[in-house]
């Protein structure tokens, strides 16, 4: 332990475990999809909704989840979300029809939209802004970023050993333990402030608009951007989000306070989360497709192939926390993205019909280190200088842009790959996967360049408490 820093304690272990569950559930079903499709009789067109149902529901309800954490209480929201996760996972493992399973994934997504901001806002309120919070976010980030890779590993092993229902049943005991531990370890919530409301009109328009936006983005690659379903969903989304903006301007207690929209550090962090979701978050999809479809790996072998990325990403989150203390958030993010861009490019160039797994490792290591550092840095930036009572909404805002970025990025990269890289065969499939990952590398590189240029032209931001030499003082007190 470094001099002058206190142990972070059991509450952080619970919070990190919750974040691990959220991240695992995003990817754990990837390698189980063939078995799920065969077992429940999914059509090829509908099978994607086992993944997409979770993404759409999570993205649509995150802002409301953040508001719930602020108004109902962070501990209450955490416990409720964990129990919702556990109950829906139990039903998912017992599901006998495609419709039930897709509905379960949507409910799990709602659970994630409650659990994620509650977890992040608990960290931001339990640990003082500065070194303690940065370390806590690094541990939490290691669990989250590592879970994106460990999901494939655990999913592959479970499917091979116990069948596809096991990827749902595994959540049940974990969720119950999280709920009990959260109830016992987290500070009790005070009485609800009756002077603050949920802003029902804002909640309905924001949730509906966000859900329809992500729905359209997820559906477009499979059905086409000009189909009636996509066009109507997009139009309704624009209408609801426009109405949301009008409602927020007139609300006495808005769901999205104007002061947060004026917070430069939070807005910059949201820009980074969009790019992160669109690029770093999409690469595991194409790596999974490469390993299973091109190289012929089974579920267990594909899962084991993600062990190295998981370890490297976890190491990257810890390196990112130290880099923030030494160099500041902006330089850490720029450096992490530079590493990530180089890694994604190296990974894409290593894709070949007869290539070995060791040939992928240089790209995997660079990509994982960059991903871990960027993950830690962007959540430190998102929480810095935000008032205690706004931490839930702020985390909901940043995590919403992460999910929307992931949906947009995957849709674009799927189109770049050509019919998702799924319908092509042979050289065409391989070229499509390589092109998609190279495009992700270019996007990450553009982000690194933008951050570097911003640093040179703007200098250290006074609103950022993590630039070298800056005092760790909350924004609201300056």
């Amino acid at each position: 332990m470094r001099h002058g820093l206190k142990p972070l304690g059991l509450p952080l272990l619970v919070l990190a475990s919750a974040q691990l569950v959220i991240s695992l559930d995003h990817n754990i079903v990837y390698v189980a999809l063939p078995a799920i499709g065969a077992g429940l009789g999914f059509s090829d067109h509908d099978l994607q909704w086992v993944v997409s149902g979770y993404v759409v529901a999570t993205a649509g309800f995150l802002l409301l989840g953040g508001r719930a954490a602020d108004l109902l209480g962070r501990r209450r929201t955490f416990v409720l979300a964990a129990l919702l996760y556990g109950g829906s996972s139990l039903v998912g493992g017992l599901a006998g029809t495609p419709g039930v399973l897709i509905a379960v994934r949507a409910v799990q997504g709602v659970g994630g939209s409650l659990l994620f901001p509650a977890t992040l806002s608990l960290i931001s309120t339990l640990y003082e802004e500065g070194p303690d919070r940065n370390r806590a976010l690094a541990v939490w980030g290691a669990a989250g970023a590592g879970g994106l890779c460990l999901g494939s590993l655990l999913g592959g092993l479970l499917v091979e050993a116990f069948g596809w229902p096991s990827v749902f049943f595994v959540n049940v005991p974990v969720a119950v333990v999280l709920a009990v531990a959260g109830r016992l370890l987290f500070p009790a919530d005070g009485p609800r402030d009756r002077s603050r409301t949920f802003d029902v009109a804002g909640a309905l328009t924001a949730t509906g608009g966000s859900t329809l936006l992500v729905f359209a983005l997820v559906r477009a690659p499979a059905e086409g951007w000009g189909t009636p379903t996509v066009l109507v969903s997009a139009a309704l989304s624009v209408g609801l989000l426009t109405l949301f903006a009008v409602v927020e301007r007139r609300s006495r207690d808005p769901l999205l306070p104007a002061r947060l929209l004026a917070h430069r550090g939070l807005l910059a962090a949201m820009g980074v989360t969009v790019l992160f979701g669109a690029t770093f978050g999409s690469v595991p999809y194409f790596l999974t497709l490469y390993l299973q479809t091109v190289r012929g790996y089974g579920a267990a072998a594909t899962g084991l192939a993600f062990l190295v990325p998981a370890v490297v990403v976890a190491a990257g989150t810890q390196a990112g926390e130290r880099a923030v203390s030494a160099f500041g958030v902006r330089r850490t993010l720029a450096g992490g993205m530079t590493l990530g861009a180089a890694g994604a490019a190296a990974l894409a160039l290593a894709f070949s019909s007869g290539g070995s797994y060791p040939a992928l490792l240089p790209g995997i290591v660079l990509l994982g280190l960059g991903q871990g550092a960027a993950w830690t840095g962007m959540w430190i930036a998102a929480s810095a200088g935000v008032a205690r009572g706004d931490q839930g909404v702020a985390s909901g805002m940043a995590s919403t842009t992460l999910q929307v970025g992931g949906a947009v990025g995957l849709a674009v990269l799927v189109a770049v790959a050509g019919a998702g890289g799924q319908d092509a065969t042979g050289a065409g499939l391989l070229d499509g996967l390589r092109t998609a990952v190279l495009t992700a590398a270019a996007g990450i590189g553009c982000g690194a360049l933008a951050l570097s240029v911003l640093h040179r032209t703007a200098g250290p931001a006074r609103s950022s408490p993590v630039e070298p030499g800056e005092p760790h003082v909350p924004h609201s007190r300056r």
Side-chain angles (χ1 to χ4, degrees):
M1 181 172 58
R2 282 171 281 171
H3 179 70
L5 295 180
K6 300 177 293 184
L8 297 178
L10 285 176
L12 182 59
L13 177 62
V14 177
L15 293 168
S17 299
Q19 176 60 8
L20 180 65
V21 169
I22 296 170
S23 298
L24 283 172
D25 261 10
H26 191 275
N27 281 1
I28 196 170
V29 300
Y30 274 177
V31 295
L33 286 177
I36 291 173
L40 294 185
F42 272 91
S43 68
D44 291 340
H45 176 74
D46 290 335
L47 187 59
Q48 66 162 325
W49 283 102
V50 177
V51 174
S52 299
Y54 183 86
V55 173
V56 169
T58 301
F61 284 82
L62 271 167
L63 199 57
L64 185 59
R67 184 65 158 181
D70 286 337
L71 295 189
L72 296 182
R74 295 170 182 86
R75 188 177 75 171
R76 293 187 190 101
T77 304
F78 181 94
V79 172
L80 172 64
L83 293 176
L84 186 61
Y85 243 107
S88 59
S89 296
L90 178 62
V91 176
L94 299 172
T97 64
V100 170
L101 189 60
I102 292 173
V104 162
R105 288 292 283 170
V107 175
Q108 283 185 318
V110 174
S113 71
L114 293 171
L115 191 59
F116 190 98
T119 301
L120 189 55
S121 61
L122 277 164
I123 287 179
S124 299
T125 52
L126 288 174
Y127 302 99
E128 287 290 331
E129 187 171 326
D132 283 344
R133 185 186 296 177
N134 292 353
R135 282 198 307 142
L137 284 169
V139 173
W140 174 85
L148 294 174
C149 297
L150 281 173
S152 298
L153 168 63
L154 183 61
L157 295 177
L158 288 173
V159 170
E160 287 283 336
F162 305 108
W164 69 262
S166 60
V167 302
F168 294 95
F169 288 143
V170 71
N171 285 328
V172 178
V174 176
V176 172
V177 170
L178 286 176
V180 173
R183 182 71 175 77
L184 295 175
L185 293 175
F186 298 150
D189 298 312
R192 180 181 168 188
D193 183 358
R194 298 291 176 179
S195 66
R196 301 183 67 188
T197 67
F198 264 105
D199 181 19
V200 175
L204 291 175
T205 51
T207 301
S210 301
T211 302
L212 286 168
L213 174 61
V214 179
F215 176 84
L217 291 170
V218 166
R219 190 139 187 162
E223 295 192 2
W225 294 91
T227 58
T229 300
V230 172
L231 290 176
V232 170
S233 298
L236 288 174
S237 171
V238 170
L240 285 172
L241 291 176
T242 301
L243 183 58
F244 170 67
V246 174
V247 168
E248 295 303 278
R249 290 185 63 184
R250 299 180 178 180
S251 175
R252 293 176 54 191
D253 190 14
L255 178 67
L256 186 58
R259 60 184 174 273
L260 291 182
L261 295 176
H263 193 293
R264 291 170 53 195
L266 177 58
L267 294 180
M270 290 168 65
V272 174
T273 61
V274 167
L275 181 63
F276 186 100
T279 54
F280 284 111
S282 298
V283 170
Y285 172 86
F286 295 100
L287 180 56
T288 300
L289 201 56
Y290 168 74
L291 293 172
Q292 289 193 315
T293 308
V294 176
R295 302 295 296 128
Y297 284 26
T302 301
L304 288 171
F306 276 89
L307 179 59
V308 173
V311 172
V312 174
V313 168
T317 61
Q318 303 307 302
E321 181 259 326
R322 288 164 172 78
V324 165
S325 298
F327 307 111
V329 165
R330 197 180 292 134
R331 289 192 184 98
T332 299
L333 286 170
M337 288 185 174
T338 300
L339 280 178
L347 182 64
L349 295 175
F351 282 2
S352 65
S353 57
S356 63
Y357 182 74
L360 302 175
L361 290 178
I364 285 174
V365 170
L366 289 174
L367 179 66
L369 288 174
Q371 178 177 343
W375 179 270
T376 298
M378 71 188 191
W379 293 117
I380 290 174
S383 65
V386 177
R388 180 184 180 92
D390 289 332
Q391 284 290 344
V393 172
S395 62
M397 290 168 63
S399 47
T400 296
T401 51
L402 176 71
Q403 294 294 332
V404 172
V408 173
L410 189 58
V412 170
L413 293 175
V414 159
V416 167
Q422 296 169 324
D423 299 326
T425 58
L429 169 62
L430 186 58
D431 287 344
L433 297 177
R434 188 183 296 119
T435 301
V437 178
L438 283 173
T439 303
I444 299 170
C446 288
L449 180 62
L451 285 166
S452 298
V453 170
L454 178 64
H455 180 75
R456 287 197 297 269
T457 57
R462 285 298 304 169
S463 63
S464 174
V466 286
E467 290 292 338
E470 284 284 316
H472 298 283
V473 181
H475 177 79
S476 60
R477 297 180 186 176
R478 291 184 182 172

